[in-house]
Amino acid sequence: MDRFFVLCLGLIVLTYSLSHLYRVIAIALHIVDKPDHRSAHTTVTPTGAGAVFVLLFCIGMLLTSYSGELGLHENVFITMLVPVLLISVLGLADDYGQLPWSARAIAHLLIASWGVYLFGFPKLLIGSIELDLGMIGLVFGAIALTWFINLYNFMDGIDGIAAGEALFALMSVTIISIFIGDQQMSVPVLILASVLFGFLLINWPKAKVFMGDVGSGFLGLVLGLFMLSEVLVNVWCWMILFAWFVTDACLTISIRLVRGERIYEAHSLHAYQHLNRALGTGYTLFLIGGINLVWLLPLGIAAQVYPGFGLGLLVLAAAPLIIFQYYCGAGQLSPRVMTD
């Protein structure tokens, strides 16, 4: 394991260093995000830097698999490297020039279906009843994973939020597993956490690079597979830890649908985007981080300790977030309560 932690440290340094190198290349090739009326940033910023942590994640997985440090139950993640690269290439193409939403949706559904076929859909424990949804679960899982891939793209709208949210969840499940669960660590989880930490150092406000669709699509797929395969903790715990992202995206889409808007068109109406305009990026990140730590993490721990109550704990976690996000303006043209 000492070699593995050296590898993780190396991945942090490499991700940070290569992200800087990517920045220089992206500026030279004009792979940049130019600010408009919807943007949270005000300067031209290189985008697509998620390609760096995608590549290093794949290299880290292959190295640990070759050395035998990737546990047998985790070797199935190696089989996902091809679809991971496919969704990343798709995202990179979208960063270069916007692809038709219908083509992206079909590609995402096919890749998600492949992932669910390989990993399956978890049995759901509700009270003392264990539900095995069989084929229905596989279909629902493919749709849910497709949604999560796109959700992660929707929620990557301000500096540091997408990488920060993922890093919070990855470290939380690791800590929960060590101190409350099976006292285990997951190699794929720690590899992903390492590359994201290195990236967050350059993506933290004021970001020098953006991950782009290549990074957000990759994160949505891999994190969704972690959930479905119940790496380290059960699916209820995973969902609670991502409750801010899930509720903000779902509430925003629902309100826009009711208003008759085209939900695939770009906008800046998520609750976190309204908060960003009112508070600034740094305060918004710390607010969401505080909610994650003070509210969602304890409920996630409870869901892992008492899995039969997981669904109820998820509802308890989400309900106040939905109310708060609604009054922050999720899906609306302006907040119902403005922050002075």
Side-chain angles (χ1 to χ4, degrees):
M1 289 302 289
D2 289 341
R3 288 189 305 172
F4 174 68
F5 285 113
V6 171
L7 172 64
C8 289
L9 181 60
L11 289 173
I12 293 172
V13 174
L14 273 174
T15 305
Y16 177 73
S17 302
L18 292 180
S19 294
H20 278 283
L21 176 61
Y22 177 90
R23 180 175 184 269
V24 175
I25 296 172
I27 291 174
L29 297 178
H30 301 289
I31 310 173
V32 295
D33 191 324
K34 297 179 181 178
D36 57 26
H37 66 282
R38 296 179 294 98
S39 303
H41 60 291
T42 57
T43 58
V44 174
T45 306
T47 190
V52 173
F53 62 71
V54 171
L55 180 61
L56 289 175
F57 172 80
C58 292
I59 291 174
M61 290 288 288
L62 290 172
L63 287 174
T64 50
S65 176
Y66 178 77
S67 67
E69 294 186 49
L70 192 64
L72 291 177
H73 68 290
E74 294 175 327
N75 272 325
V76 69
F77 281 102
I78 293 297
T79 65
M80 276 304 298
L81 292 187
V82 172
V84 157
L85 290 173
L86 284 176
I87 202 167
S88 301
V89 169
L90 183 71
L92 191 60
D94 208 27
D95 289 327
Y96 270 98
Q98 190 169 12
L99 300 175
W101 74 269
S102 55
R104 292 201 312 272
I106 292 171
H108 288 166
L109 181 59
L110 291 174
I111 293 172
S113 298
W114 187 352
V116 175
Y117 172 75
L118 288 173
F119 287 86
F121 189 81
K123 295 179 181 179
L124 300 178
L125 185 62
I126 302 177
S128 59
I129 301 174
E130 187 176 66
L131 296 179
D132 185 351
L133 298 181
M135 185 59 67
I136 295 175
L138 294 178
V139 174
F140 175 76
I143 295 172
L145 183 54
T146 302
W147 167 240
F148 197 75
I149 291 169
N150 286 275
L151 174 155
Y152 226 84
N153 177 260
F154 299 156
M155 297 299 290
D156 180 30
I158 62 174
D159 298 350
I161 192 169
E165 183 79 359
L167 191 59
F168 158 74
L170 294 169
M171 297 313 298
S172 293
V173 299
T174 299
I175 292 169
I176 291 171
S177 178
I178 291 174
F179 292 102
I180 297 173
D182 299 325
Q183 296 184 337
Q184 293 181 352
M185 292 181 291
S186 167
V187 169
V189 165
L190 291 177
I191 289 176
L192 184 56
S194 299
V195 297
L196 286 179
F197 183 77
F199 179 76
L200 193 59
L201 294 175
I202 190 173
N203 184 238
W204 192 256
K206 185 177 181 180
K208 294 181 176 62
V209 294
F210 297 151
M211 69 172 63
D213 291 347
V214 58
S216 61
F218 160 81
L219 284 178
L221 175 62
V222 175
L223 292 169
L225 290 175
F226 285 171
M227 288 187 195
L228 292 178
S229 55
E230 297 190 300
V231 173
L232 295 181
V233 298
N234 61 58
V235 67
W236 300 122
C237 181
W238 273 108
M239 291 182 66
I240 288 171
L241 294 174
F242 279 108
W244 177 278
F245 265 35
V246 173
T247 53
D248 195 354
C250 290
L251 180 61
T252 299
I253 287 290
S254 299
I255 292 175
R256 293 187 69 221
L257 275 173
V258 170
R259 206 163 48 234
E261 296 182 6
R262 297 176 180 177
I263 58 173
Y264 54 83
E265 291 185 347
H267 65 90
S268 59
L269 301 180
H270 289 284
Y272 79 89
Q273 290 169 318
H274 284 299
L275 283 169
N276 183 68
R277 285 187 286 269
L279 302 176
T281 304
Y283 283 113
T284 299
L285 292 177
F286 282 116
L287 174 61
I288 296 173
I291 291 171
N292 286 341
L293 288 171
V294 175
W295 180 243
L296 297 181
L297 180 56
L299 291 174
I301 293 172
Q304 180 64 19
V305 176
Y306 305 105
F309 295 101
L311 178 59
L313 290 167
L314 176 60
V315 173
L316 176 62
L321 295 185
I322 292 172
I323 295 171
F324 177 65
Q325 289 162 355
Y326 178 74
Y327 279 96
C328 285
Q332 302 157 72
L333 299 180
S334 62
R336 292 180 172 267
V337 176
M338 294 298 297
T339 303
D340 295 327

